[in-house]
C-alpha cells in the first residue's frame, strides 16, 4: 500500500460512472434505493474533471494525517453526508439523534447534505487535501472504495481508539476487517449495502430462485434473467458461485467469471444487464429473477407480495458507506465522539428505523424491536448470524486492474 499510485480515471472507468449515474445505483434516491459501492456513483462532470487531471501521487503515512485539534475550545462539528441519510422528525424540521447528541455533549453539529455522489464530492475537497489545507469538514461519509483511496493517499486521520468504546465493542463482525482499513483504524461504517437475488414468485410459477447457477442455467428462466451493470456486484456474485473469494481473486478468476456470464449472454439466458430499472420489470414479471440491491427489495415488497429474495449458499456481496475524519479537520475529537455515539444501541436503532439500510451495529435488534418489530426481524436490515457469515467484500483494485476489468466488463454487457 506504500506504492505511489496515479489515480487518473480511464475511459472505461468514466463509462462505468456514466452507467451508474444514469441507471445504476448512482441514479437512485437515498431512502428508497441504494447507491453504487464501486467506482460507479460518480457525476459525469466530476468524472471528466478527475479523468483529465488525475490525483497527485501520495504516500500513506502510518500514523495518518494529523492536525491541530480545537475540540476542547470549540464545541462544534462540521458533518457532510448524503441526502436522506439521517433520521428526521415527521415534520422534517429536526434531526432527533443529532439534537440529542448536542444536548448531551454541548457539541453543536453543523449537518450538511452536500454529498450527491462520491467523485463529485471528492472533487470539492481534493484541492485542499492535496495542498495540505483543511476542507472545512470534520466528518464525512463516503463509499468504501473512496474511503480506501483517501486512506491510501494519507488524507484521513487515524482515529483515537480510546474515544470509540461503543464502536469498538458493537461493530458487527462482517465489517471489522476490510482490506483497505484492517481493524478500522481510520474509518467506521455508517451503513452496509447488500447485493442479493430477487425474484417474482408469480413469474417463476412459485419456484424459488436462490443461486447464480440457477439464474444462468435454469431453462424455465431463459430470457427473463437480469444481471447488474455494476461490475463489482455482477462479477463478485459470479466469483462466489465459482467458489472463488472476491477478496482474493486473480486475473484468471476474473476472466473465468466473465466467461461464465458470457455463456449466459450467448444462449440468451440473460435478458439484459440493468441499473435500477430492473425494479419495474421485476415488479411486472417481465424479469422473473435477477441480481438486486437489498433496499430495492424492501421497497418493492411494500406493494407486491410476490417479490421475494434469496441469499445464495455461495454467499453475497456487501459494500459500505463509511465515516472518516479528513486530514486538516479542526475538531477531530468531537467528530470521533459523534462516530462512537452512533454505535450506542438506542441511537443506532433510531437511525436504522429511518434509513432502512444494513445496520453495522451488533446487538441493535432489541432496541429496534421497540420501534418497529418488522424492521428488527428483517435480515436485509439486521443480518442474522447465518446471513452475516455469507457476506463478502469485493477486494480493493489497483488503478491498472480497475481499468482492465472495466474494459472487459463493458464488452460483456455491450456498453
Amino acid at each position: 500500500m506504500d506504492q505511489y499510485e496515479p489515480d487518473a480515471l480511464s475511459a472505461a472507468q468514466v463509462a462505468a460512472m456514466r452507467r451508474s449515474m444514469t441507471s445504476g445505483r448512482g441514479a437512485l434516491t437515498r431512502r428508497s434505493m441504494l447507491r453504487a459501492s464501486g467506482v460507479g456513483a460518480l457525476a459525469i462532470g466530476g468524472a471528466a474533471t478527475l479523468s483529465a487531471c488525475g490525483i497527485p501521487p501520495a504516500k500513506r503515512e502510518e500514523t495518518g494525517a494529523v492536525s491541530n485539534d480545537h475540540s476542547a475550545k470549540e464545541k462544534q462539528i462540521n458533518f457532510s453526508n448524503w441526502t436522506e441519510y439521517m433520521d428526521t422528525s415527521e415534520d422534517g424540521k429536526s434531526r432527533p439523534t443529532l439534537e440529542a447528541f448536542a444536548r448531551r455533549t454541548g457539541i453543536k453539529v453543523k449537518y450538511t447534505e452536500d454529498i450527491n455522489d462520491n467523485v463529485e464530492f471528492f472533487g470539492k475537497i481534493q484541492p485542499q487535501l492535496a495542498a495540505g489545507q483543511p476542507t472545512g469538514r470534520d466528518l464525512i461519509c463516503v463509499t468504501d472504495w473512496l474511503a480506501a483511496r483517501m486512506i491510501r493517499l494519507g488524507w484521513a486521520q487515524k482515529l483515537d481508539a480510546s474515544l470509540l468504546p461503543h464502536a469498538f465493542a458493537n461493530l458487527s463482525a462482517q465489517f471489522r476487517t476490510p482490506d483497505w482499513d484492517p481493524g478500522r483504524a481510520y474509518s467506521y461504517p455508517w451503513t452496509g449495502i447488500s447485493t442479493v437475488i430477487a425474484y417474482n414468485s408469480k413469474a417463476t410459477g412459485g419456484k424459488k430462485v436462490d443461486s447464480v447457477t440457477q439464474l444462468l442455467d435454469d431453462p424455465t428462466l431463459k430470457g427473463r434473467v437480469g444481471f447488474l451493470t455494476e461490475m463489482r456486484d455482477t462479477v463478485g456474485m459470479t466469483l462466489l458461485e465459482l467458489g472463488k473469494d472476491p477478496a482474493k481473486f486473480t486475473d484468471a478468476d476474473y476472466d473465468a467469471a466473465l466467461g461464465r456470464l458470457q455463456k449466459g449472454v450467448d444462449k440468451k439466458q440473460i435478458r439484459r444487464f440493468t441499473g435500477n430499472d430492473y425494479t419495474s420489470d421485476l415488479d411486472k414479471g417481465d424479469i422473473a429473477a435477477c441480481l438486486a440491491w437489498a433496499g430495492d427489495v424492501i421497497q418493492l415488497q411494500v406493494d407486491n407480495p410476490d417479490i421475494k429474495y434469496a441469499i445464495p449458499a455461495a454467499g453475497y456481496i456487501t459494500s459500505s458507506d463509511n465515516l472518516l475524519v479528513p486530514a486538516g479537520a479542526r475538531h477531530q475529537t468531537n467528530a470521533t465522539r459523534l462516530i462512537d455515539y452512533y454505535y450506542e444501541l438506542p441511537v443506532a436503532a433510531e437511525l436504522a428505523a429511518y434509513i432502512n439500510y444494513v445496520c453495522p451495529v451488533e446487538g441493535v435488534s432489541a432496541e429496534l424491536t421497540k420501534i418497529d418489530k418488522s424492521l428488527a426481524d428483517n435480515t436485509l436490515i439486521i443480518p442474522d448470524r447465518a446471513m452475516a457469515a455469507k457476506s463478502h467484500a469485493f477486494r480493493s483494485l489497483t488503478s491498472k486492474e480497475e481499468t482492465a476489468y472495466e474494459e472487459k466488463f463493458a464488452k460483456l454487457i455491450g456498453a
Side-chain angles (χ1 to χ4, degrees):
M1 286 290 189
D2 281 344
Q3 284 186 315
Y4 287 179
E5 235 184 284
D7 279 293
L9 301 171
S10 70
Q13 290 169 284
V14 173
M17 295 168 195
R18 286 198 180 95
R19 290 197 302 273
S20 185
M21 283 306 296
T22 56
S23 64
R25 276 182 285 181
L28 309 179
T29 57
R30 296 303 306 174
R31 276 190 80 194
S32 61
M33 305 293 177
L34 295 176
R35 290 182 304 98
S37 60
V39 77
L42 310 175
I44 295 172
T49 300
L50 291 182
S51 179
C53 68
I55 299 172
K59 185 176 181 181
R60 170 174 167 176
E61 299 294 336
E62 287 302 314
T63 57
V66 178
S67 63
N68 293 326
D69 190 2
H70 299 266
S71 294
K73 294 182 179 179
E74 299 174 3
K75 297 294 185 179
Q76 64 187 74
I77 302 169
N78 295 317
F79 182 6
S80 285
N81 205 350
W82 300 77
T83 59
E84 299 291 345
Y85 223 18
M86 178 66 72
D87 57 295
T88 304
S89 62
E90 289 187 10
D91 61 10
K93 295 181 179 180
S94 65
R95 305 188 184 280
T97 57
L98 285 178
E99 292 183 1
F101 176 80
R103 287 194 299 270
R104 182 200 296 183
T105 64
I107 298 170
K108 183 178 180 180
V109 182
K110 181 182 178 182
Y111 184 77
T112 307
E113 295 179 329
D114 61 344
I115 306 180
N116 295 310
D117 65 78
N118 286 289
V119 163
E120 181 186 53
F121 177 69
F122 192 50
K124 295 178 184 177
I125 64 175
Q126 182 265 339
Q128 293 99 318
L129 291 169
Q133 299 172 350
T135 66
R137 297 164 176 86
D138 302 304
L139 191 64
I140 61 176
C141 182
V142 294
T143 304
D144 45 19
W145 69 268
L146 181 53
R149 180 174 290 179
M150 290 185 64
I151 292 168
R152 184 177 71 242
L153 294 172
W155 292 346
Q157 297 200 50
K158 194 168 187 178
L159 301 174
D160 183 346
S162 70
L163 299 174
L164 295 162
H166 297 96
F168 181 81
N170 296 335
L171 176 59
S172 174
Q174 74 181 97
F175 295 102
R176 281 189 178 271
T177 56
D179 65 352
W180 46 271
D181 188 14
R184 292 290 182 179
Y186 295 84
S187 69
Y188 269 85
W190 182 248
T191 55
I193 302 168
S194 299
T195 304
V196 300
I197 291 177
Y199 61 99
N200 185 317
S201 61
K202 185 176 180 180
T204 65
K207 178 187 291 186
K208 182 178 182 179
V209 182
D210 60 3
S211 72
V212 171
T213 295
Q214 195 173 356
L215 289 176
L216 290 172
D217 294 338
D218 188 336
T220 68
L221 301 176
K222 185 174 181 178
R224 299 188 297 150
V225 169
F227 279 78
L228 297 167
T229 55
E230 298 286 352
M231 181 267 287
R232 285 166 176 80
D233 295 316
T234 286
V235 175
M237 294 289 280
T238 308
L239 283 167
L240 286 168
E241 195 74 11
L242 293 175
K244 303 299 182 180
D245 185 350
K248 299 177 182 178
F249 68 90
T250 64
D251 288 348
D253 295 333
Y254 184 88
D255 289 343
L258 287 192
R260 182 79 172 92
L261 290 161
Q262 187 66 57
K263 289 180 180 178
V265 172
D266 293 343
K267 66 182 183 181
K268 302 188 185 306
Q269 179 78 4
I270 298 174
R271 181 185 184 92
R272 62 193 182 100
F273 292 86
T274 72
N276 62 301
D277 50 324
Y278 72 82
T279 55
S280 176
D281 285 348
L282 182 63
D283 188 42
K284 292 183 294 184
D286 292 340
I287 285 179
C290 61
L291 294 188
W293 296 307
D296 293 2
V297 176
I298 294 173
Q299 295 298 316
L300 287 171
Q301 287 179 328
V302 172
D303 297 314
N304 189 344
D306 292 327
I307 302 300
K308 313 291 184 184
Y309 77 93
I311 304 300
Y316 67 103
I317 295 293
T318 300
S319 57
S320 58
D321 283 338
N322 306 272
L323 298 174
L324 291 177
V325 177
R330 189 175 176 88
H331 311 105
Q332 60 264 47
T333 295
N334 292 345
T336 307
R337 290 179 66 185
L338 185 62
I339 294 173
D340 193 64
Y341 170 74
Y342 278 100
Y343 276 79
E344 295 180 18
L345 299 184
V347 180
E350 194 168 349
L351 180 66
Y354 185 83
I355 64 175
N356 294 173
Y357 280 67
V358 178
C359 181
V361 182
E362 189 75 30
V364 76
S365 181
E367 292 294 335
L368 188 54
T369 296
K370 296 176 184 177
I371 301 171
D372 188 331
K373 188 176 186 304
S374 68
L375 296 178
D377 292 339
N378 191 331
T379 55
L380 295 180
I381 297 174
I382 303 181
D384 56 22
R385 288 186 179 182
M387 183 170 173
K390 294 181 179 180
S391 170
H392 297 266
F394 197 95
R395 71 170 172 83
S396 300
L397 301 177
T398 65
S399 296
K400 182 179 179 180
E401 284 178 325
E402 193 164 322
T403 297
Y405 291 171
E406 287 288 6
E407 286 177 351
K408 291 179 179 180
F409 188 67
K411 290 179 182 179
L412 169 73
I413 66 177

